PDB file of all heavy atoms in Angstrom:
ATOM      1  N   TYR A 279      87.365 100.124 110.267  1.00  0.00           N
ATOM      2  CA  TYR A 279      88.054 100.025 108.936  1.00  0.00           C
ATOM      3  C   TYR A 279      86.978 100.069 107.832  1.00  0.00           C
ATOM      4  O   TYR A 279      87.188 100.739 106.821  1.00  0.00           O
ATOM      5  CB  TYR A 279      88.887  98.777 108.845  1.00  0.00           C
ATOM      6  CG  TYR A 279      90.363  98.989 109.234  1.00  0.00           C
ATOM      7  CD1 TYR A 279      90.690  98.877 110.609  1.00  0.00           C
ATOM      8  CD2 TYR A 279      91.348  99.186 108.330  1.00  0.00           C
ATOM      9  CE1 TYR A 279      92.007  99.058 110.998  1.00  0.00           C
ATOM     10  CE2 TYR A 279      92.619  99.409 108.664  1.00  0.00           C
ATOM     11  CZ  TYR A 279      92.983  99.306 110.002  1.00  0.00           C
ATOM     12  OH  TYR A 279      94.275  99.515 110.410  1.00  0.00           O
ATOM     13  N   LYS A 280      85.921  99.353 108.033  1.00  0.00           N
ATOM     14  CA  LYS A 280      84.877  99.307 107.010  1.00  0.00           C
ATOM     15  C   LYS A 280      84.279 100.649 106.731  1.00  0.00           C
ATOM     16  O   LYS A 280      84.067 101.106 105.584  1.00  0.00           O
ATOM     17  CB  LYS A 280      83.779  98.292 107.394  1.00  0.00           C
ATOM     18  CG  LYS A 280      82.743  98.083 106.350  1.00  0.00           C
ATOM     19  CD  LYS A 280      81.759  96.972 106.781  1.00  0.00           C
ATOM     20  CE  LYS A 280      80.738  96.698 105.703  1.00  0.00           C
ATOM     21  NZ  LYS A 280      79.767  95.603 106.136  1.00  0.00           N
ATOM     22  N   PHE A 281      83.936 101.382 107.814  1.00  0.00           N
ATOM     23  CA  PHE A 281      83.352 102.714 107.620  1.00  0.00           C
ATOM     24  C   PHE A 281      84.393 103.722 107.123  1.00  0.00           C
ATOM     25  O   PHE A 281      84.094 104.480 106.195  1.00  0.00           O
ATOM     26  CB  PHE A 281      82.796 103.221 108.946  1.00  0.00           C
ATOM     27  CG  PHE A 281      82.211 104.627 108.825  1.00  0.00           C
ATOM     28  CD1 PHE A 281      80.965 104.799 108.305  1.00  0.00           C
ATOM     29  CD2 PHE A 281      82.982 105.747 109.137  1.00  0.00           C
ATOM     30  CE1 PHE A 281      80.417 106.077 108.136  1.00  0.00           C
ATOM     31  CE2 PHE A 281      82.448 107.049 108.999  1.00  0.00           C
ATOM     32  CZ  PHE A 281      81.159 107.219 108.508  1.00  0.00           C
ATOM     33  N   ASN A 282      85.627 103.671 107.628  1.00  0.00           N
ATOM     34  CA  ASN A 282      86.602 104.660 107.183  1.00  0.00           C
ATOM     35  C   ASN A 282      86.855 104.576 105.690  1.00  0.00           C
ATOM     36  O   ASN A 282      87.091 105.574 105.039  1.00  0.00           O
ATOM     37  CB  ASN A 282      87.917 104.347 107.945  1.00  0.00           C
ATOM     38  CG  ASN A 282      89.037 105.292 107.549  1.00  0.00           C
ATOM     39  OD1 ASN A 282      88.993 106.504 107.786  1.00  0.00           O
ATOM     40  ND2 ASN A 282      90.052 104.746 106.985  1.00  0.00           N
ATOM     41  N   ALA A 283      86.789 103.309 105.136  1.00  0.00           N
ATOM     42  CA  ALA A 283      87.091 103.129 103.704  1.00  0.00           C
ATOM     43  C   ALA A 283      85.835 103.329 102.828  1.00  0.00           C
ATOM     44  O   ALA A 283      85.951 103.348 101.576  1.00  0.00           O
ATOM     45  CB  ALA A 283      87.681 101.747 103.490  1.00  0.00           C
ATOM     46  N   SER A 284      84.628 103.510 103.449  1.00  0.00           N
ATOM     47  CA  SER A 284      83.407 103.594 102.704  1.00  0.00           C
ATOM     48  C   SER A 284      83.315 104.992 102.015  1.00  0.00           C
ATOM     49  O   SER A 284      84.084 105.897 102.353  1.00  0.00           O
ATOM     50  CB  SER A 284      82.234 103.419 103.611  1.00  0.00           C
ATOM     51  OG  SER A 284      82.054 104.526 104.510  1.00  0.00           O
ATOM     52  N   PRO A 285      82.386 105.127 101.068  1.00  0.00           N
ATOM     53  CA  PRO A 285      82.227 106.453 100.402  1.00  0.00           C
ATOM     54  C   PRO A 285      81.914 107.603 101.373  1.00  0.00           C
ATOM     55  O   PRO A 285      82.267 108.738 101.106  1.00  0.00           O
ATOM     56  CB  PRO A 285      81.030 106.211  99.476  1.00  0.00           C
ATOM     57  CG  PRO A 285      81.081 104.754  99.184  1.00  0.00           C
ATOM     58  CD  PRO A 285      81.526 104.078 100.491  1.00  0.00           C
ATOM     59  N   ASN A 286      81.307 107.272 102.542  1.00  0.00           N
ATOM     60  CA  ASN A 286      81.022 108.292 103.510  1.00  0.00           C
ATOM     61  C   ASN A 286      82.083 108.430 104.641  1.00  0.00           C
ATOM     62  O   ASN A 286      81.926 109.150 105.573  1.00  0.00           O
ATOM     63  CB  ASN A 286      79.678 107.985 104.197  1.00  0.00           C
ATOM     64  CG  ASN A 286      78.526 108.089 103.196  1.00  0.00           C
ATOM     65  OD1 ASN A 286      78.501 108.924 102.304  1.00  0.00           O
ATOM     66  ND2 ASN A 286      77.568 107.180 103.331  1.00  0.00           N
ATOM     67  N   GLY A 287      83.177 107.624 104.499  1.00  0.00           N
ATOM     68  CA  GLY A 287      84.171 107.639 105.550  1.00  0.00           C
ATOM     69  C   GLY A 287      85.276 108.696 105.397  1.00  0.00           C
ATOM     70  O   GLY A 287      85.299 109.418 104.396  1.00  0.00           O
ATOM     71  N   TRP A 288      86.136 108.753 106.406  1.00  0.00           N
ATOM     72  CA  TRP A 288      87.210 109.770 106.402  1.00  0.00           C
ATOM     73  C   TRP A 288      88.305 109.394 105.398  1.00  0.00           C
ATOM     74  O   TRP A 288      89.040 110.233 104.944  1.00  0.00           O
ATOM     75  CB  TRP A 288      87.773 109.878 107.792  1.00  0.00           C
ATOM     76  CG  TRP A 288      86.793 110.344 108.806  1.00  0.00           C
ATOM     77  CD1 TRP A 288      86.396 111.621 109.082  1.00  0.00           C
ATOM     78  CD2 TRP A 288      86.131 109.534 109.757  1.00  0.00           C
ATOM     79  NE1 TRP A 288      85.480 111.645 110.132  1.00  0.00           N
ATOM     80  CE2 TRP A 288      85.301 110.349 110.572  1.00  0.00           C
ATOM     81  CE3 TRP A 288      86.136 108.146 110.030  1.00  0.00           C
ATOM     82  CZ2 TRP A 288      84.525 109.821 111.603  1.00  0.00           C
ATOM     83  CZ3 TRP A 288      85.360 107.632 111.069  1.00  0.00           C
ATOM     84  CH2 TRP A 288      84.555 108.480 111.835  1.00  0.00           C
ATOM     85  N   LYS A 289      88.474 108.068 105.262  1.00  0.00           N
ATOM     86  CA  LYS A 289      89.570 107.580 104.392  1.00  0.00           C
ATOM     87  C   LYS A 289      90.968 107.931 104.942  1.00  0.00           C
ATOM     88  O   LYS A 289      91.893 108.188 104.197  1.00  0.00           O
ATOM     89  CB  LYS A 289      89.435 108.002 102.958  1.00  0.00           C
ATOM     90  CG  LYS A 289      88.159 107.460 102.316  1.00  0.00           C
ATOM     91  CD  LYS A 289      87.987 107.910 100.861  1.00  0.00           C
ATOM     92  CE  LYS A 289      86.730 107.324 100.217  1.00  0.00           C
ATOM     93  NZ  LYS A 289      85.526 107.731 100.922  1.00  0.00           N
ATOM     94  N   PHE A 290      91.039 107.946 106.267  1.00  0.00           N
ATOM     95  CA  PHE A 290      92.352 108.147 106.888  1.00  0.00           C
ATOM     96  C   PHE A 290      93.265 106.980 106.609  1.00  0.00           C
ATOM     97  O   PHE A 290      92.820 105.841 106.435  1.00  0.00           O
ATOM     98  CB  PHE A 290      92.192 108.306 108.403  1.00  0.00           C
ATOM     99  CG  PHE A 290      91.537 109.561 108.855  1.00  0.00           C
ATOM    100  CD1 PHE A 290      90.974 109.723 110.114  1.00  0.00           C
ATOM    101  CD2 PHE A 290      91.490 110.703 108.036  1.00  0.00           C
ATOM    102  CE1 PHE A 290      90.366 110.878 110.546  1.00  0.00           C
ATOM    103  CE2 PHE A 290      90.887 111.891 108.442  1.00  0.00           C
ATOM    104  CZ  PHE A 290      90.321 111.955 109.670  1.00  0.00           C
ATOM    105  N   ASP A 291      94.571 107.224 106.630  1.00  0.00           N
ATOM    106  CA  ASP A 291      95.568 106.210 106.424  1.00  0.00           C
ATOM    107  C   ASP A 291      95.761 105.512 107.770  1.00  0.00           C
ATOM    108  O   ASP A 291      96.360 106.063 108.686  1.00  0.00           O
ATOM    109  CB  ASP A 291      96.879 106.825 105.967  1.00  0.00           C
ATOM    110  CG  ASP A 291      97.974 105.817 105.736  1.00  0.00           C
ATOM    111  OD1 ASP A 291      97.638 104.610 105.588  1.00  0.00           O
ATOM    112  OD2 ASP A 291      99.187 106.186 105.724  1.00  0.00           O
ATOM    113  N   LEU A 292      95.230 104.306 107.907  1.00  0.00           N
ATOM    114  CA  LEU A 292      95.263 103.572 109.160  1.00  0.00           C
ATOM    115  C   LEU A 292      96.213 102.385 109.031  1.00  0.00           C
ATOM    116  O   LEU A 292      96.308 101.775 108.020  1.00  0.00           O
ATOM    117  CB  LEU A 292      93.851 103.092 109.569  1.00  0.00           C
ATOM    118  CG  LEU A 292      92.757 104.144 109.701  1.00  0.00           C
ATOM    119  CD1 LEU A 292      91.418 103.489 109.986  1.00  0.00           C
ATOM    120  CD2 LEU A 292      93.124 105.175 110.724  1.00  0.00           C
ATOM    121  N   ILE A 293      96.883 102.063 110.174  1.00  0.00           N
ATOM    122  CA  ILE A 293      97.797 100.965 110.204  1.00  0.00           C
ATOM    123  C   ILE A 293      97.333  99.852 111.121  1.00  0.00           C
ATOM    124  O   ILE A 293      97.402  98.671 110.805  1.00  0.00           O
ATOM    125  CB  ILE A 293      99.225 101.425 110.613  1.00  0.00           C
ATOM    126  CG1 ILE A 293      99.799 102.390 109.546  1.00  0.00           C
ATOM    127  CG2 ILE A 293     100.140 100.271 110.811  1.00  0.00           C
ATOM    128  CD1 ILE A 293     101.113 102.972 109.932  1.00  0.00           C
ATOM    129  N   GLY A 294      96.759 100.233 112.280  1.00  0.00           N
ATOM    130  CA  GLY A 294      96.267  99.224 113.247  1.00  0.00           C
ATOM    131  C   GLY A 294      96.117  99.780 114.587  1.00  0.00           C
ATOM    132  O   GLY A 294      96.218 101.001 114.811  1.00  0.00           O
ATOM    133  N   MET A 295      95.951  98.916 115.562  1.00  0.00           N
ATOM    134  CA  MET A 295      95.851  99.309 116.955  1.00  0.00           C
ATOM    135  C   MET A 295      97.188  99.118 117.656  1.00  0.00           C
ATOM    136  O   MET A 295      97.647  98.036 117.882  1.00  0.00           O
ATOM    137  CB  MET A 295      94.763  98.475 117.706  1.00  0.00           C
ATOM    138  CG  MET A 295      93.323  98.800 117.314  1.00  0.00           C
ATOM    139  SD  MET A 295      92.222  97.846 118.356  1.00  0.00           S
ATOM    140  CE  MET A 295      90.637  98.400 117.708  1.00  0.00           C
ATOM    141  N   ALA A 296      97.803 100.264 118.037  1.00  0.00           N
ATOM    142  CA  ALA A 296      99.064 100.200 118.773  1.00  0.00           C
ATOM    143  C   ALA A 296      98.845 100.150 120.264  1.00  0.00           C
ATOM    144  O   ALA A 296      99.766  99.942 121.068  1.00  0.00           O
ATOM    145  CB  ALA A 296      99.948 101.412 118.378  1.00  0.00           C
ATOM    146  N   GLU A 297      97.568 100.383 120.694  1.00  0.00           N
ATOM    147  CA  GLU A 297      97.188 100.308 122.098  1.00  0.00           C
ATOM    148  C   GLU A 297      95.996  99.403 122.261  1.00  0.00           C
ATOM    149  O   GLU A 297      95.088  99.408 121.435  1.00  0.00           O
ATOM    150  CB  GLU A 297      96.904 101.719 122.579  1.00  0.00           C
ATOM    151  CG  GLU A 297      98.032 102.673 122.579  1.00  0.00           C
ATOM    152  CD  GLU A 297      97.659 104.106 122.853  1.00  0.00           C
ATOM    153  OE1 GLU A 297      97.300 104.824 121.915  1.00  0.00           O
ATOM    154  OE2 GLU A 297      97.754 104.508 124.039  1.00  0.00           O
ATOM    155  N   ARG A 298      96.001  98.637 123.334  1.00  0.00           N
ATOM    156  CA  ARG A 298      94.894  97.680 123.579  1.00  0.00           C
ATOM    157  C   ARG A 298      93.615  98.420 123.964  1.00  0.00           C
ATOM    158  O   ARG A 298      93.679  99.470 124.590  1.00  0.00           O
ATOM    159  CB  ARG A 298      95.312  96.733 124.680  1.00  0.00           C
ATOM    160  CG  ARG A 298      96.341  95.692 124.316  1.00  0.00           C
ATOM    161  CD  ARG A 298      97.012  95.102 125.530  1.00  0.00           C
ATOM    162  NE  ARG A 298      98.115  95.958 126.009  1.00  0.00           N
ATOM    163  CZ  ARG A 298      98.750  95.792 127.152  1.00  0.00           C
ATOM    164  NH1 ARG A 298      98.415  94.785 127.930  1.00  0.00           N
ATOM    165  NH2 ARG A 298      99.741  96.600 127.468  1.00  0.00           N
ATOM    166  N   PRO A 299      92.450  97.838 123.637  1.00  0.00           N
ATOM    167  CA  PRO A 299      91.203  98.375 124.084  1.00  0.00           C
ATOM    168  C   PRO A 299      91.180  98.389 125.625  1.00  0.00           C
ATOM    169  O   PRO A 299      91.680  97.465 126.290  1.00  0.00           O
ATOM    170  CB  PRO A 299      90.136  97.456 123.546  1.00  0.00           C
ATOM    171  CG  PRO A 299      90.824  96.725 122.413  1.00  0.00           C
ATOM    172  CD  PRO A 299      92.237  96.621 122.801  1.00  0.00           C
ATOM    173  N   MET A 300      90.604  99.411 126.207  1.00  0.00           N
ATOM    174  CA  MET A 300      90.514  99.523 127.698  1.00  0.00           C
ATOM    175  C   MET A 300      89.049  99.724 128.081  1.00  0.00           C
ATOM    176  O   MET A 300      88.255 100.313 127.319  1.00  0.00           O
ATOM    177  CB  MET A 300      91.342 100.715 128.197  1.00  0.00           C
ATOM    178  CG  MET A 300      92.788 100.654 127.940  1.00  0.00           C
ATOM    179  SD  MET A 300      93.669 102.117 128.513  1.00  0.00           S
ATOM    180  CE  MET A 300      93.026 103.353 127.434  1.00  0.00           C
ATOM    181  N   MET A 301      88.693  99.309 129.266  1.00  0.00           N
ATOM    182  CA  MET A 301      87.399  99.574 129.796  1.00  0.00           C
ATOM    183  C   MET A 301      87.547 100.727 130.776  1.00  0.00           C
ATOM    184  O   MET A 301      88.447 100.766 131.609  1.00  0.00           O
ATOM    185  CB  MET A 301      86.735  98.385 130.461  1.00  0.00           C
ATOM    186  CG  MET A 301      85.293  98.707 130.968  1.00  0.00           C
ATOM    187  SD  MET A 301      84.442  97.330 131.714  1.00  0.00           S
ATOM    188  CE  MET A 301      85.126  97.360 133.357  1.00  0.00           C
ATOM    189  N   MET A 302      86.598 101.716 130.650  1.00  0.00           N
ATOM    190  CA  MET A 302      86.553 102.820 131.605  1.00  0.00           C
ATOM    191  C   MET A 302      85.293 102.646 132.531  1.00  0.00           C
ATOM    192  O   MET A 302      84.227 102.290 132.029  1.00  0.00           O
ATOM    193  CB  MET A 302      86.363 104.152 130.844  1.00  0.00           C
ATOM    194  CG  MET A 302      87.544 104.411 129.885  1.00  0.00           C
ATOM    195  SD  MET A 302      89.101 104.700 130.707  1.00  0.00           S
ATOM    196  CE  MET A 302      90.203 104.980 129.335  1.00  0.00           C
ATOM    197  N   GLU A 303      85.519 102.845 133.778  1.00  0.00           N
ATOM    198  CA  GLU A 303      84.468 102.717 134.770  1.00  0.00           C
ATOM    199  C   GLU A 303      84.267 104.051 135.445  1.00  0.00           C
ATOM    200  O   GLU A 303      85.196 104.624 136.069  1.00  0.00           O
ATOM    201  CB  GLU A 303      84.808 101.653 135.816  1.00  0.00           C
ATOM    202  CG  GLU A 303      83.775 101.505 136.919  1.00  0.00           C
ATOM    203  CD  GLU A 303      84.206 100.511 137.964  1.00  0.00           C
ATOM    204  OE1 GLU A 303      85.375 100.666 138.458  1.00  0.00           O
ATOM    205  OE2 GLU A 303      83.433  99.656 138.336  1.00  0.00           O
ATOM    206  N   TYR A 304      83.094 104.705 135.235  1.00  0.00           N
ATOM    207  CA  TYR A 304      82.809 105.968 135.806  1.00  0.00           C
ATOM    208  C   TYR A 304      81.818 105.823 136.963  1.00  0.00           C
ATOM    209  O   TYR A 304      80.615 105.531 136.722  1.00  0.00           O
ATOM    210  CB  TYR A 304      82.220 106.930 134.762  1.00  0.00           C
ATOM    211  CG  TYR A 304      83.201 107.292 133.674  1.00  0.00           C
ATOM    212  CD1 TYR A 304      83.344 106.476 132.538  1.00  0.00           C
ATOM    213  CD2 TYR A 304      83.950 108.448 133.746  1.00  0.00           C
ATOM    214  CE1 TYR A 304      84.254 106.808 131.512  1.00  0.00           C
ATOM    215  CE2 TYR A 304      84.830 108.821 132.745  1.00  0.00           C
ATOM    216  CZ  TYR A 304      85.001 107.999 131.644  1.00  0.00           C
ATOM    217  OH  TYR A 304      85.852 108.313 130.624  1.00  0.00           O
ATOM    218  N   PRO A 305      82.211 105.985 138.246  1.00  0.00           N
ATOM    219  CA  PRO A 305      81.313 105.738 139.375  1.00  0.00           C
ATOM    220  C   PRO A 305      80.325 106.895 139.609  1.00  0.00           C
ATOM    221  O   PRO A 305      80.549 108.026 139.221  1.00  0.00           O
ATOM    222  CB  PRO A 305      82.258 105.626 140.568  1.00  0.00           C
ATOM    223  CG  PRO A 305      83.443 106.526 140.169  1.00  0.00           C
ATOM    224  CD  PRO A 305      83.574 106.363 138.702  1.00  0.00           C
ATOM    225  N   GLU A 306      79.253 106.541 140.246  1.00  0.00           N
ATOM    226  CA  GLU A 306      78.144 107.520 140.557  1.00  0.00           C
ATOM    227  C   GLU A 306      78.675 108.631 141.400  1.00  0.00           C
ATOM    228  O   GLU A 306      79.406 108.443 142.355  1.00  0.00           O
ATOM    229  CB  GLU A 306      77.034 106.769 141.302  1.00  0.00           C
ATOM    230  CG  GLU A 306      75.860 107.702 141.690  1.00  0.00           C
ATOM    231  CD  GLU A 306      74.760 106.945 142.361  1.00  0.00           C
ATOM    232  OE1 GLU A 306      74.540 105.684 142.029  1.00  0.00           O
ATOM    233  OE2 GLU A 306      74.063 107.499 143.247  1.00  0.00           O
ATOM    234  N   GLY A 307      78.305 109.843 141.019  1.00  0.00           N
ATOM    235  CA  GLY A 307      78.665 111.042 141.807  1.00  0.00           C
ATOM    236  C   GLY A 307      80.095 111.519 141.661  1.00  0.00           C
ATOM    237  O   GLY A 307      80.409 112.590 142.220  1.00  0.00           O
ATOM    238  N   GLU A 308      80.956 110.798 140.941  1.00  0.00           N
ATOM    239  CA  GLU A 308      82.358 111.171 140.860  1.00  0.00           C
ATOM    240  C   GLU A 308      82.880 111.014 139.417  1.00  0.00           C
ATOM    241  O   GLU A 308      83.773 111.821 139.016  1.00  0.00           O
ATOM    242  CB  GLU A 308      83.220 110.245 141.730  1.00  0.00           C
ATOM    243  CG  GLU A 308      82.891 110.346 143.238  1.00  0.00           C
ATOM    244  CD  GLU A 308      83.706 109.377 144.057  1.00  0.00           C
ATOM    245  OE1 GLU A 308      84.344 108.478 143.453  1.00  0.00           O
ATOM    246  OE2 GLU A 308      83.709 109.516 145.270  1.00  0.00           O
ATOM    247  N   GLY A 309      82.396 110.052 138.731  1.00  0.00           N
ATOM    248  CA  GLY A 309      82.992 109.711 137.399  1.00  0.00           C
ATOM    249  C   GLY A 309      82.768 110.852 136.358  1.00  0.00           C
ATOM    250  O   GLY A 309      81.608 111.298 136.132  1.00  0.00           O
ATOM    251  N   LYS A 310      83.875 111.254 135.712  1.00  0.00           N
ATOM    252  CA  LYS A 310      83.763 112.278 134.680  1.00  0.00           C
ATOM    253  C   LYS A 310      85.171 112.368 134.001  1.00  0.00           C
ATOM    254  O   LYS A 310      86.149 111.816 134.480  1.00  0.00           O
ATOM    255  CB  LYS A 310      83.423 113.645 135.250  1.00  0.00           C
ATOM    256  CG  LYS A 310      84.502 114.214 136.207  1.00  0.00           C
ATOM    257  CD  LYS A 310      84.185 115.593 136.708  1.00  0.00           C
ATOM    258  CE  LYS A 310      85.289 116.105 137.623  1.00  0.00           C
ATOM    259  NZ  LYS A 310      85.046 117.500 138.074  1.00  0.00           N
ATOM    260  N   TYR A 311      85.212 113.068 132.890  1.00  0.00           N
ATOM    261  CA  TYR A 311      86.454 113.365 132.180  1.00  0.00           C
ATOM    262  C   TYR A 311      86.196 114.652 131.404  1.00  0.00           C
ATOM    263  O   TYR A 311      85.437 114.700 130.484  1.00  0.00           O
ATOM    264  CB  TYR A 311      86.779 112.230 131.188  1.00  0.00           C
ATOM    265  CG  TYR A 311      88.259 112.240 130.715  1.00  0.00           C
ATOM    266  CD1 TYR A 311      88.749 111.185 129.951  1.00  0.00           C
ATOM    267  CD2 TYR A 311      89.092 113.330 130.943  1.00  0.00           C
ATOM    268  CE1 TYR A 311      90.051 111.205 129.480  1.00  0.00           C
ATOM    269  CE2 TYR A 311      90.416 113.324 130.487  1.00  0.00           C
ATOM    270  CZ  TYR A 311      90.861 112.226 129.740  1.00  0.00           C
ATOM    271  OH  TYR A 311      92.168 112.282 129.287  1.00  0.00           O
ATOM    272  N   ASP A 312      86.891 115.679 131.803  1.00  0.00           N
ATOM    273  CA  ASP A 312      86.611 117.047 131.257  1.00  0.00           C
ATOM    274  C   ASP A 312      87.128 117.136 129.834  1.00  0.00           C
ATOM    275  O   ASP A 312      87.715 116.219 129.275  1.00  0.00           O
ATOM    276  CB  ASP A 312      87.247 118.095 132.163  1.00  0.00           C
ATOM    277  CG  ASP A 312      86.415 119.404 132.227  1.00  0.00           C
ATOM    278  OD1 ASP A 312      85.592 119.639 131.297  1.00  0.00           O
ATOM    279  OD2 ASP A 312      86.583 120.171 133.163  1.00  0.00           O
ATOM    280  N   TRP A 313      86.904 118.318 129.219  1.00  0.00           N
ATOM    281  CA  TRP A 313      87.246 118.545 127.809  1.00  0.00           C
ATOM    282  C   TRP A 313      88.711 118.185 127.500  1.00  0.00           C
ATOM    283  O   TRP A 313      89.612 118.628 128.214  1.00  0.00           O
ATOM    284  CB  TRP A 313      86.976 120.000 127.400  1.00  0.00           C
ATOM    285  CG  TRP A 313      85.523 120.391 127.395  1.00  0.00           C
ATOM    286  CD1 TRP A 313      84.903 121.233 128.282  1.00  0.00           C
ATOM    287  CD2 TRP A 313      84.550 119.935 126.502  1.00  0.00           C
ATOM    288  NE1 TRP A 313      83.591 121.330 127.969  1.00  0.00           N
ATOM    289  CE2 TRP A 313      83.307 120.576 126.904  1.00  0.00           C
ATOM    290  CE3 TRP A 313      84.495 119.082 125.381  1.00  0.00           C
ATOM    291  CZ2 TRP A 313      82.068 120.346 126.183  1.00  0.00           C
ATOM    292  CZ3 TRP A 313      83.336 118.850 124.729  1.00  0.00           C
ATOM    293  CH2 TRP A 313      82.120 119.483 125.147  1.00  0.00           C
ATOM    294  N   HIS A 314      88.900 117.444 126.435  1.00  0.00           N
ATOM    295  CA  HIS A 314      90.239 117.028 126.038  1.00  0.00           C
ATOM    296  C   HIS A 314      90.218 116.502 124.599  1.00  0.00           C
ATOM    297  O   HIS A 314      89.168 116.264 124.041  1.00  0.00           O
ATOM    298  CB  HIS A 314      90.778 115.920 126.973  1.00  0.00           C
ATOM    299  CG  HIS A 314      90.042 114.593 126.869  1.00  0.00           C
ATOM    300  ND1 HIS A 314      88.760 114.441 127.462  1.00  0.00           N
ATOM    301  CD2 HIS A 314      90.323 113.421 126.262  1.00  0.00           C
ATOM    302  CE1 HIS A 314      88.340 113.226 127.186  1.00  0.00           C
ATOM    303  NE2 HIS A 314      89.220 112.622 126.484  1.00  0.00           N
ATOM    304  N   ILE A 315      91.405 116.314 124.037  1.00  0.00           N
ATOM    305  CA  ILE A 315      91.566 115.640 122.750  1.00  0.00           C
ATOM    306  C   ILE A 315      92.416 114.368 122.997  1.00  0.00           C
ATOM    307  O   ILE A 315      93.104 114.299 124.016  1.00  0.00           O
ATOM    308  CB  ILE A 315      92.141 116.505 121.630  1.00  0.00           C
ATOM    309  CG1 ILE A 315      93.619 116.916 121.988  1.00  0.00           C
ATOM    310  CG2 ILE A 315      91.308 117.731 121.380  1.00  0.00           C
ATOM    311  CD1 ILE A 315      94.302 117.624 120.857  1.00  0.00           C
ATOM    312  N   ASP A 316      92.376 113.430 122.115  1.00  0.00           N
ATOM    313  CA  ASP A 316      93.103 112.173 122.289  1.00  0.00           C
ATOM    314  C   ASP A 316      94.438 112.114 121.669  1.00  0.00           C
ATOM    315  O   ASP A 316      95.162 111.117 121.767  1.00  0.00           O
ATOM    316  CB  ASP A 316      92.229 111.005 121.806  1.00  0.00           C
ATOM    317  CG  ASP A 316      91.099 110.705 122.747  1.00  0.00           C
ATOM    318  OD1 ASP A 316      91.045 111.271 123.873  1.00  0.00           O
ATOM    319  OD2 ASP A 316      90.196 109.909 122.344  1.00  0.00           O
ATOM    320  N   LEU A 317      94.842 113.174 120.975  1.00  0.00           N
ATOM    321  CA  LEU A 317      96.203 113.287 120.431  1.00  0.00           C
ATOM    322  C   LEU A 317      97.162 113.822 121.531  1.00  0.00           C
ATOM    323  O   LEU A 317      96.751 114.507 122.475  1.00  0.00           O
ATOM    324  CB  LEU A 317      96.227 114.214 119.253  1.00  0.00           C
ATOM    325  CG  LEU A 317      95.625 113.762 117.947  1.00  0.00           C
ATOM    326  CD1 LEU A 317      95.592 114.906 116.975  1.00  0.00           C
ATOM    327  CD2 LEU A 317      96.502 112.612 117.333  1.00  0.00           C
ATOM    328  N   GLY A 318      98.419 113.383 121.390  1.00  0.00           N
ATOM    329  CA  GLY A 318      99.439 113.902 122.356  1.00  0.00           C
ATOM    330  C   GLY A 318     100.779 113.944 121.698  1.00  0.00           C
ATOM    331  O   GLY A 318     100.993 113.454 120.615  1.00  0.00           O
ATOM    332  N   PRO A 319     101.785 114.553 122.421  1.00  0.00           N
ATOM    333  CA  PRO A 319     103.083 114.708 121.815  1.00  0.00           C
ATOM    334  C   PRO A 319     103.967 113.402 121.833  1.00  0.00           C
ATOM    335  O   PRO A 319     104.965 113.344 121.213  1.00  0.00           O
ATOM    336  CB  PRO A 319     103.725 115.757 122.741  1.00  0.00           C
ATOM    337  CG  PRO A 319     103.065 115.591 124.058  1.00  0.00           C
ATOM    338  CD  PRO A 319     101.642 115.164 123.740  1.00  0.00           C
TER     339      PRO A 319
END
């Protein structure tokens, strides 16, 4: 929020976190996530 509202920020209209923070665990030799965006329908 602090950066978004700063002179160098995006100044997007934000409301809050509708999803909880998650931890991702990527194991050796297998862990990956190919090209994607985080928006969805």
Side-chain angles (χ1 to χ4, degrees):
Y279 268 84
K280 185 175 181 179
F281 178 82
N282 180 65
S284 71
N286 296 322
W288 299 280
K289 297 179 178 61
F290 289 161
D291 180 19
L292 304 178
I293 295 175
M295 287 185 180
E297 297 171 273
R298 286 161 278 172
M300 299 178 292
M301 186 177 78
M302 301 294 179
E303 178 185 49
Y304 294 86
E306 179 177 328
E308 299 177 347
K310 65 177 182 178
Y311 195 172
D312 215 339
W313 292 111
H314 65 285
I315 64 173
D316 286 349
L317 284 171

